[in-house]
Amino acid sequence: MPILCDRLLKLKEMFNSKFGSVPKFYVRAPGRVNIIGEHIDYCGYSVLPMAVEQDMLIAVEPVKTHVLQLANTNPLYPDFSTSANNIQIDKTKPLWHNYFLCGFKGIQEHFGLSDLTGMNCLVDGNIPPSSGLSSSSALVCCAGLVTLTVLGMNLSKVELAEICAKSERYIGTEGGGMDQSISFLAEEGTAKLIEFSPLRATDVKLPSGAVFVIANSCVEMNKAATSHFNIRVMECRLAAKLLAKHKSLPWKEVLRLEEVQAKLGISLEEMLLITEDALHPEPYSPEEICKCLGISLQELKTQILSPNTQDVLTFKLYQRAKHVYSEAARVLQFKKICEEAPDNVVQLLGELMNQSHRSCRDMYECSCPELDQLVDICRKFGAQGSRLTGAGWGGCTVSIVPAEKLSSFLANVHEAYYQRSNRSLAPEKQSLFATKPGGGALVFLEA
């Protein structure tokens, strides 16, 4: 923890020069890398992330006024202040302070509080933004824990994760809860299988002979600023409804692809066969969806589509369902291989990661040329498996690399991807690094 101690002391100094006082406590919440299980948490399926060492740190001083004063150590993020009792979150602009306000408002609403004390907060983050390592969710979680601590209230880690997952939707992102769950439930030295409804986490011991390496494509993608993400959420919802209708289930109450499988009581492999049978690969128009469900266009727009998907002209339902059911199966296979630990464990896990990337690229269409190039380079220089991680459309890749190949892998990838373009302008430590499972969110009383 020596690096963290240095950061806390530096943060304390900056807080003092900013607010003319000393923080009463500090809160840390980590980012995460999703090893496998992309875009399936909001469909109800388990995922397999681990916390990274990079995190959000907030220095906090409760104040007698009802003013919330937020500042950031990064000059790119301007100061912000507002009344603690009148939180407005502008969905049209994913500004940094709005993520703090999500966590604050989530705790406020959970306890039904109206007369809240103010606070001075200085935020310091070393998770690269818009990189798919969950910097935004780490800030929401950090803010939730800050607010809880200021109020002197108690909640379990699971409750905190659920509140923060729900409250991040104030910014307009229809996420599924993985990022907030791992930020709170992470433990040093182990990845986690995160399951939903009810939320629970199980340790997954990663193979000792391999290292997970994160490489940043340096293409930024802000989930809340783009409709890609929310369109995928809606495509999965529509696919679930059409599959339910096809199997004569009460489709109106079905929201997630997992619910269809649960109601039918069958395997993921069987769900893939039903998808082949029930859905066609050609994109669906809103009119065709209405015909399949026996509803009017007005009903589709007002009862099913979200405001930011009402003008979408085509929906790819077959491809999205195929990705989700196959990816959900890969997560379970990954965990099983980790538990059984055969001699070729690294090769087998690598194959699953490669399959995952292919599915994200071809069926879910959430990759981009730079990510595909980076994945190819990582495999060429010794990764047994490599895939995009996070929402995609930019951000990072995660690769499984045999430990003995690590130093040559880092050198070769650095040269092939970062030095051959002006991407070498990106800070190297934030662009390419080996990582190991870190711990979850914490409160520190002293720097």
Side-chain angles (χ1 to χ4, degrees):
M1 302 278 272
I3 297 170
L4 184 57
C5 292
D6 289 348
R7 275 178 68 210
L8 285 172
L9 288 170
K10 203 167 154 194
L11 196 57
K12 186 177 183 176
E13 282 172 26
M14 289 177 82
F15 188 98
N16 195 357
S17 66
K18 180 86 195 167
F19 296 111
S21 51
V22 195
K24 288 283 179 290
F25 65 92
Y26 307 81
V27 171
R28 162 194 192 267
R32 63 96 192 98
V33 58
N34 190 22
I35 301 170
I36 198 158
E38 217 57 72
H39 284 284
I40 63 174
D41 59 340
Y42 54 77
C43 297
Y45 283 110
S46 308
V47 290
L48 213 153
M50 66 179 180
V52 291
E53 291 158 29
Q54 287 83 347
D55 57 24
M56 284 288 166
L57 265 183
I58 305 183
V60 189
E61 179 195 26
V63 291
K64 294 275 191 286
T65 67
H66 294 286
V67 177
L68 197 55
Q69 289 211 72
L70 306 178
N72 199 303
T73 58
N74 185 332
L76 289 175
Y77 303 119
D79 293 0
F80 177 79
S81 71
T82 185
S83 161
N85 297 315
N86 183 28
I87 298 297
Q88 305 288 325
I89 298 170
D90 184 353
K91 276 188 182 183
T92 62
K93 299 190 187 89
L95 299 167
W96 79 273
H97 60 256
N98 283 335
Y99 292 97
F100 185 100
L101 297 180
C102 284
F104 183 87
K105 188 175 176 180
I107 297 295
Q108 180 186 21
E109 293 197 341
H110 177 79
F111 289 108
L113 301 169
S114 54
D115 194 29
L116 278 176
T117 179
M119 50 179 137
N120 295 333
C121 296
L122 180 61
V123 177
D124 180 57
N126 59 6
I127 310 167
S130 304
S131 65
L133 300 178
S134 245
S135 57
S136 49
S137 298
L139 181 49
V140 174
C141 292
C142 219
L145 188 49
V146 162
T147 310
L148 189 74
T149 309
V150 166
L151 293 171
M153 304 281 204
N154 280 313
L155 287 171
S156 71
K157 289 178 179 181
V158 166
E159 287 171 314
L160 263 170
E162 286 179 327
I163 291 166
C164 289
K166 210 166 75 182
S167 69
E168 192 165 330
R169 293 178 196 146
Y170 295 135
I171 203 100
T173 310
E174 300 282 337
M178 163 179 57
D179 304 344
Q180 300 81 5
S181 304
I182 191 67
S183 197
F184 285 114
L185 302 173
E187 289 179 73
E188 210 168 322
T190 180
K192 295 276 184 179
L193 179 80
I194 306 267
E195 298 169 89
F196 302 97
S197 318
L199 177 61
R200 56 208 184 280
T202 313
D203 289 2
V204 177
K205 191 178 181 328
L206 300 171
S208 54
V211 182
F212 288 88
V213 178
I214 294 169
N216 193 340
S217 70
C218 302
V219 176
E220 287 199 2
M221 180 271 175
N222 186 313
K223 261 196 317 215
T226 178
S227 59
H228 289 312
F229 185 87
N230 289 333
I231 291 170
R232 292 298 180 279
V233 175
M234 190 50 64
E235 286 173 322
C236 290
R237 183 169 298 176
L238 292 168
K241 289 184 181 294
L242 264 67
L243 289 168
K245 181 91 190 310
H246 177 77
K247 298 304 282 184
S248 307
L249 294 171
W251 62 268
K252 284 191 175 177
E253 62 196 50
V254 169
L255 294 173
R256 297 187 178 95
L257 286 163
E258 185 275 335
E259 293 166 32
V260 183
Q261 185 200 355
K263 285 181 194 302
L264 294 173
I266 60 175
S267 69
L268 286 161
E269 290 66 30
E270 288 171 295
M271 279 313 307
L272 283 164
L273 294 174
I274 289 172
T275 302
E276 292 286 344
D277 195 30
L279 302 174
H280 55 67
E282 298 76 30
Y284 286 73
S285 65
E287 290 75 14
E288 187 182 358
I289 290 166
C290 290
K291 197 173 150 199
C292 291
L293 296 176
I295 57 172
S296 69
L297 204 54
Q298 186 59 24
E299 283 174 295
L300 176 70
K301 288 197 167 181
T302 55
Q303 291 171 27
I304 300 175
L305 297 181
S306 54
N308 48 21
T309 56
Q310 286 182 358
D311 300 323
V312 177
L313 299 175
T314 58
F315 297 95
K316 291 189 178 180
L317 308 189
Y318 167 86
Q319 292 85 342
R320 311 316 183 216
K322 285 269 289 192
H323 167 76
V324 170
Y325 289 130
S326 64
E327 186 78 349
R330 282 187 284 273
V331 170
L332 301 180
Q333 286 170 289
F334 196 99
K335 178 175 183 274
K336 189 165 177 263
I337 292 165
C338 285
E339 285 166 352
E340 291 171 357
D343 290 344
N344 60 340
V345 57
V346 179
Q347 182 199 332
L348 294 174
L349 297 179
E351 281 168 15
L352 289 173
M353 291 171 73
N354 290 338
Q355 287 168 20
S356 171
H357 185 75
R358 274 197 296 278
S359 184
C360 285
R361 181 189 67 201
D362 301 337
M363 302 307 277
Y364 220 72
E365 296 176 278
C366 61
S367 190
C368 66
E370 293 85 352
L371 280 171
D372 294 337
Q373 184 197 358
L374 186 49
V375 159
D376 289 342
I377 287 170
C378 289
R379 288 181 197 155
K380 179 182 169 186
F381 290 117
Q384 289 283 324
S386 188
R387 57 179 291 278
L388 66 84
T389 184
W393 298 288
C396 290
T397 62
V398 59
S399 303
I400 186 169
V401 181
E404 68 276 8
K405 290 187 180 171
L406 179 63
S407 54
S408 66
F409 173 84
L410 292 171
N412 287 326
V413 172
H414 180 68
E415 187 189 351
Y417 188 77
Y418 298 96
Q419 280 185 331
R420 291 203 181 158
S421 67
N422 59 3
R423 294 189 192 100
S424 56
L425 297 173
E428 193 178 334
K429 270 206 166 70
Q430 286 197 353
S431 300
L432 181 67
F433 54 91
T435 190
K436 48 185 190 290
L442 289 172
V443 178
F444 301 93
L445 295 177
E446 263 308 311

